[in-house]
Amino acid sequence: MTLFPEMFPGSLGCSLAGKALADGLWRLETVDIRGFAGDKHRTVDDAPFGGGPGMVMRPDVLDRVITEAAGPGPVIYLSPRGRLLDQARVKTLAAGPGVSLLCGRYEGVDERAIEARGIEELSLGDFVLSGGEPAAIALIDACVRLLPGVIGDQATLAEESFEDGLLEYPHYTRPQVWEGRAVPEVLLSGHHDRIRQWRQEQREKATRERRPDLWERRLASQGAEPGPKNG
Ligand code: 4GY
């Protein structure tokens, strides 16, 4: 549900997601919110009560589009005010019957529409897009790649980040030396146990250094005490 239906399928028409779309492994229906306006000028927004800049999307228009056009599964509004999206939510959505995504523009939507219709609000992160559409495309992409048959190699999915709350290990390919930088020796050794151990250490180091929030959560879930030693 968008004021810019021409933004879809966008990147979802390309690569793995696009092939899966063409193969019928998933479907995308784009609904033009403007088609649910109530007047001849097809008005969907109005000035904010209380003043301030910009325009707000009208709750009556949003109610009509949700009632008449939402599919099976939850209705989700993508905004920086939402709970942070994570891989666990993506997995649940991908396993479900579908999802209806409401894409905001301008200053956003009238809060009453969100409340009254029990709409789930999710955020991709602490930054502001000019509209919900790129976030919707990202959410759909994350779900579609989990659908059976979209990614050929299931090992790729099982091994990746967030399966166990750690970031991925670093990857290397040819050339063996590039701009004076050699590939870590252990990866050329053929010692698969040592390679596995090295990669696990690299994952832990990267998570500790780059995402202390994930590292703390992992320690907490293992019952460790946070602080200078384990922090
Ligand atoms: N960040 N995560 C995000 C976003 C655009 C004004 C409300 C985000 O999910 N969506 O920045 N969305 C805004 C634009 C209306 C949505």
Side-chain angles (χ1 to χ4, degrees):
M1 297 173 279
T2 172
L3 288 170
F4 295 94
E6 63 275 19
M7 292 180 76
F8 296 85
S11 65
L12 297 171
C14 305
S15 192
L16 248 56
K19 171 77 164 42
L21 184 59
D23 291 347
L25 295 179
W26 67 287
R27 311 192 295 114
L28 177 70
E29 194 182 326
T30 308
V31 177
D32 188 352
I33 295 171
R34 204 169 289 282
F36 294 81
D39 62 336
K40 71 168 178 184
H41 299 294
R42 305 214 297 161
T43 307
V44 295
D45 59 341
D46 209 328
F49 277 119
M55 298 292 269
V56 177
M57 292 170 77
R58 289 175 56 115
D60 50 350
V61 176
L62 296 172
D63 176 51
R64 279 195 292 273
V65 69
I66 289 163
T67 304
E68 295 178 37
V75 178
I76 295 174
Y77 175 56
L78 292 154
S79 112
R81 295 187 71 217
R83 189 180 70 82
L84 271 186
L85 179 67
D86 58 19
Q87 190 65 15
R89 188 74 188 106
V90 168
K91 274 190 173 180
T92 308
L93 291 173
V99 55
S100 298
L101 303 173
L102 176 60
C103 300
R105 280 275 154 178
Y106 319 119
E107 302 309 308
V109 307
D110 188 300
E111 189 68 21
R112 294 167 296 177
I114 307 280
E115 289 170 6
R117 297 296 168 257
I119 296 171
E120 178 180 353
E121 197 163 344
L122 290 176
S123 170
L124 298 196
D126 297 337
F127 51 86
V128 185
L129 300 166
S130 49
E133 290 83 3
I137 288 170
L139 187 154
I140 295 167
D141 180 284
C143 291
V144 164
R145 62 186 293 283
L146 299 183
L147 299 177
V150 173
I151 289 186
D153 186 0
Q154 289 299 301
T156 307
L157 287 180
E159 274 220 354
E160 75 188 5
S161 277
F162 305 121
E163 276 308 307
D164 53 5
L166 291 177
L167 301 180
E168 284 216 339
Y169 54 78
H171 301 281
Y172 301 89
T173 186
R174 279 183 283 278
Q176 209 183 110
V177 179
W178 178 74
E179 292 194 349
R181 298 164 183 269
V183 167
E185 197 61 44
V186 63
L187 299 179
L188 314 173
S189 69
H191 290 100
H192 298 294
D193 284 341
R194 274 167 54 191
I195 292 172
R196 214 181 339 269
Q197 192 194 331
W198 181 85
R199 283 177 167 167
Q200 184 63 18
E201 287 163 9
Q202 291 294 309
R203 297 186 69 202
E204 291 172 5
K205 176 173 148 69
T207 308
R208 227 185 299 120
E209 291 175 357
R210 300 173 177 208
R211 291 296 304 275
D213 57 323
L214 292 182
W215 187 248
E216 280 305 324
R217 201 183 312 169
R218 185 176 155 85
L219 292 178
S221 76
Q222 289 171 351
E225 215 172 284
K229 189 156 177 285
N230 286 326

